[in-house]
Amino acid sequence: MAATPQKNRASRRVLAAAAGLATVGALVAAMPAGAHDRGNGHGHGHGHGHKPRTVDVQLLSFNDLHGNLEPPAGSAGNVSKTHPDGTVEAIPAGGVEYLATSLRTARKGNPYSVTAAGGDMVGASPLLSGLFHDEPTIEALNGLDLDVTAVGNHEFDEGATELARLQNGGCHPVEGCYEKGKKFKGADFPYLAANVTKEKTGKPLLKPYTVWKKNGVKIGFIGVTLEGTPDIVTANGVKGLKFHDEVETINKYARELDRKGVKSIVALIHEGGAPASTSYNYDCDSPGAGDGISGPIVDIAKGITPKVDALVTGHTHQAYVCTVPDPAGKPRMVTSASSFGKLYTDTTLTYDRRTKDIVRTSVKSANHVVTRDQPKAPDMTRLIDRWNKLAAPIANKPQGWISADINGRGSTAPEKPLGNVIADAQLEGLAPADKGGAEVAFMNPGGIRADLVHKASGSEGDGVVTYGEAFTVQPFTNMMNVVDLTGAQLVTALQQQVSGPNEASPKILQVSEGLTYTLDLTKSGADRVVADSIKLNGEAIDPARTYRVAMNEFLAGGGDGFPALGEGTNKLVGASDLDLFNAYLAAHSTAAAPLAPPATDRITVVQ
């Protein structure tokens, strides 16, 4: 999802001895020999006598892991399932110990199995991964036998040089190596970024595609991120890079693969859609092909050349298995596996050895829940334990107390309880005259990465909020800004939540106490924000008056489709969002008087 990237957190990290700093390799990743030809190491085919004309290739895929190595807590860790009687069940899911078991079980009996991902494997990660610049997640993905992934927007959170380090290995240029005597090896799978080029040279940043091969079977994978990545990543993250149209790019490289004799092609696209139901088992081909899904991926799918046989997508954190017609009018599979490793998709691609192409009419696909009632993969448990030991001195420090779950990422409402807490924390910390004199604060919903969960995650006790848990909610450590905006600009910014680039998929800002307005979803575009209902502390917004507004630096740069917020003047840079959040928890909660979930009565929603 759109969110705010992380900054240098060196002072907050475990500082390991800088054992031999490695310079970052060339941006075009040098893949280890034979990496494309390993076929996951599962089965060896038949290889004796007559080969059948077709062979079933198993494509396992997932997306938007975001460094969630441990099972995501609270409602953000559930997937919804609708039963035949209409009841909806919430199933706890995810965690790489279970994802590894699910994938390894699924591969059994499938000699031709390839595993691919749709981007955002890292970035906006919980403390266990984020504290170490996501090295633990890359290590886990290597252990999962991931064959290939597209880049997502969050792969650019720390810039192209850091992305190259994740691909090629080497210890962090500032913080060095985290484990004594161990050098970070990098990803043993290729990151694909076909539609990302370097501004100076026009050359691709990373490999545009790769070809998976086994016993004469060849499948090409083209990877792209959404063209709008610069709108949802800080300027530093995408400096010197150009992002191109997804359809044009995929079609260009599909032609190139076709010329090279690779007729079976899968596109990995970090862009997605919204199914009509949030249940993972919803049939989005009802009543007709692709009728139950909307959003950017629909037009993208309709524009991609029929040479491409299936689309693995992501970004919207939704679950769907749909067929959307290609430009020739033939159905083509489009899948997404929710987020945080809670689901994986199992797609059967029937490969014709004579035509070297996929028999499209035979393509079958389904999403499966990564349940937590299966055995944990011991190697993933060891990996998590190892990194948790390094993180523990910082992660386990108590920050405050809560009386019940305070939902953020797990809330589907426009106004989220945790969003109110975060906005109030930002206003309180920046209201003093010497801190910026803020009168109102805005928080972008995509920057809230988790829920605050009452149940203990470790040995801290129920209701205790640890630094690790607070970090998981606010992992970017963005610096806060306080700026001057006119009342007219404030109104425009609120209207931009539901218009322009945000019209199809609204981004409702979380607002601090005192700001109220009506959101009328029966209307369209900017009219959905009822302008004369907007009040601050009971008074109508004066278009000509100047207001002091607090927000993170990402929003203050106009990110997430809010150019009006980027027009602020007289900027004061304050503390980080995480520091303000932790200070608020400390000031407003004790073990005897924990913080309760706040009321959600700031935005009146008309539906």
Side-chain angles (χ1 to χ4, degrees):
M1 299 289 282
T4 46
Q6 47 207 344
K7 290 293 175 187
N8 183 0
R9 295 195 295 268
S11 62
R12 299 183 182 84
R13 295 178 188 276
V14 178
L15 293 174
L21 294 179
T23 54
V24 176
L27 281 174
V28 176
M31 283 302 300
H36 302 165
D37 209 27
R38 62 183 182 179
N40 259 334
H42 299 279
H44 303 286
H46 304 294
H48 302 292
H50 177 67
K51 283 183 179 175
R53 172 157 174 183
T54 63
V55 59
D56 282 348
V57 177
Q58 178 189 56
L59 170 62
L60 301 176
S61 57
F62 57 97
N63 51 277
D64 295 276
L65 181 65
H66 290 287
N68 279 265
L69 302 180
E70 295 176 299
S75 53
N78 293 336
V79 293
S80 297
K81 178 180 182 178
T82 301
H83 292 283
D85 64 0
T87 57
V88 179
E89 178 188 3
I91 306 170
V96 295
E97 293 160 299
Y98 303 113
L99 179 60
T101 299
S102 289
L103 294 176
R104 289 164 187 171
T105 302
R107 288 174 187 142
K108 284 175 184 168
N110 289 285
Y112 294 84
S113 185
V114 56
T115 304
D120 276 6
M121 294 295 98
V122 301
S125 305
L127 185 106
L128 176 61
S129 186
L131 193 64
F132 306 106
H133 293 280
D134 283 311
E135 289 180 22
T137 296
I138 298 296
E139 186 184 329
L141 292 170
N142 289 343
L144 289 175
D145 282 332
L146 182 64
D147 286 294
V148 57
T149 184
V151 293
N153 52 291
H154 282 281
E155 262 82 20
F156 294 93
D157 280 355
E158 296 191 47
T161 305
E162 175 62 5
L163 174 55
R165 188 182 76 87
L166 291 180
Q167 176 73 84
N168 298 325
C171 296
H172 192 269
V174 175
E175 295 171 29
C177 302
Y178 294 112
E179 296 178 286
K180 196 172 180 182
K182 275 192 182 177
K183 182 180 166 186
F184 174 57
K185 291 176 181 172
D188 64 12
F189 51 89
Y191 259 114
L192 304 181
N195 65 331
V196 187
T197 57
K198 291 178 266 190
E199 275 179 355
K200 280 184 181 171
T201 64
K203 289 182 176 173
L205 174 71
L206 295 166
K207 292 166 69 78
Y209 60 78
T210 190
V211 180
W212 178 86
K213 302 171 187 171
K214 181 152 191 203
N215 295 342
V217 174
K218 290 183 189 176
I219 298 179
F221 288 88
I222 303 167
V224 298
T225 186
L226 69 156
E227 186 183 6
T229 291
D231 302 327
I232 51 177
V233 173
T234 55
N236 279 343
V238 293
K239 198 173 178 183
L241 302 177
K242 214 165 174 195
F243 292 77
H244 303 272
D245 181 85
E246 303 95 337
V247 174
E248 289 174 13
T249 303
I250 291 168
N251 289 351
K252 169 187 166 183
Y253 286 112
R255 286 193 299 272
E256 189 171 312
L257 281 166
D258 188 57
R259 282 197 304 270
K260 290 183 172 182
V262 179
K263 308 294 183 184
S264 298
I265 302 171
V266 174
L268 309 174
I269 308 170
H270 191 69
E271 178 61 288
S277 163
T278 55
S279 289
Y280 87 92
N281 60 334
Y282 167 68
D283 178 9
C284 57
D285 278 353
S286 175
D291 283 350
I293 188 170
S294 59
I297 198 60
V298 178
D299 285 340
I300 289 172
K302 287 177 178 174
I304 289 174
T305 171
K307 292 181 194 299
V308 174
D309 299 296
L311 314 182
V312 171
T313 72
H315 188 55
T316 57
H317 291 206
Q318 302 296 310
Y320 48 84
V321 172
C322 300
T323 54
V324 178
D326 69 13
K330 292 180 179 169
R332 176 169 53 195
M333 198 62 76
V334 179
T335 68
S336 174
S338 184
S339 64
F340 300 170
K342 293 181 289 189
L343 296 176
Y344 72 92
T345 314
D346 189 337
T347 303
T348 301
L349 302 172
T350 301
Y351 182 91
D352 186 322
R353 289 184 184 276
R354 197 173 301 165
T355 64
K356 299 181 182 175
D357 207 347
I358 300 300
V359 183
R360 191 95 72 74
T361 51
S362 300
V363 176
K364 297 188 292 289
S365 191
N367 274 327
H368 301 277
V369 182
V370 177
T371 59
R372 298 182 195 167
D373 58 2
Q374 58 186 320
K376 296 179 179 182
D379 57 329
M380 293 296 152
T381 303
R382 287 192 297 273
L383 181 150
I384 288 169
D385 289 348
R386 210 179 82 236
W387 288 102
N388 263 331
K389 273 184 191 146
L390 284 175
I394 290 175
N396 297 339
K397 197 175 171 191
Q399 303 297 311
W401 290 262
I402 55 174
S403 64
D405 288 3
I406 304 180
N407 284 350
R409 172 63 64 174
S411 167
T412 55
E415 181 184 348
K416 306 172 192 308
L418 189 50
N420 287 356
V421 173
I422 291 169
D424 288 351
Q426 294 176 354
L427 177 61
E428 182 171 294
L430 300 169
D434 62 335
K435 304 285 192 220
E439 300 168 82
V440 63
F442 292 139
M443 174 65 194
N444 56 311
I448 306 167
R449 303 308 299 185
D451 303 330
L452 276 187
V453 179
H454 185 262
K455 185 174 167 47
S457 60
S459 58
E460 76 275 13
D462 289 351
V464 178
V465 180
T466 64
Y467 184 90
E469 289 165 342
F471 182 101
T472 298
V473 168
Q474 295 258 268
F476 301 108
T477 318
N478 270 306
M479 303 314 290
M480 292 299 300
N481 290 181
V482 186
V483 299
D484 283 349
L485 287 171
T486 65
Q489 288 169 320
L490 266 186
V491 172
T492 300
L494 290 172
Q495 290 173 330
Q496 286 169 348
Q497 301 176 110
V498 289
S499 62
N502 293 331
E503 180 160 7
S505 182
K507 291 193 178 79
I508 305 303
L509 295 166
Q510 306 299 287
V511 299
S512 55
E513 192 173 13
L515 188 81
T516 56
Y517 70 93
T518 297
L519 183 67
D520 188 346
L521 297 177
T522 66
K523 296 180 177 171
S524 62
D527 291 339
R528 284 184 273 189
V529 172
V530 182
D532 59 10
S533 73
I534 305 170
K535 293 180 179 175
L536 184 59
N537 302 322
E539 290 185 13
I541 295 289
D542 178 353
R545 197 196 129 187
T546 296
Y547 295 84
R548 292 291 284 165
V549 184
M551 66 194 95
N552 59 48
E553 61 196 326
F554 172 63
L555 280 178
D560 258 0
F562 290 99
L565 296 180
E567 295 166 5
T569 57
N570 193 20
K571 179 169 78 174
L572 183 140
V573 177
S576 76
D577 51 7
L578 181 60
D579 285 349
L580 292 181
F581 184 48
N582 284 330
Y584 186 86
L585 290 171
H588 291 270
S589 68
T590 63
L595 182 70
T600 49
D601 54 6
R602 301 171 191 184
I603 305 171
T604 302
V605 181
V606 178
Q607 288 180 315

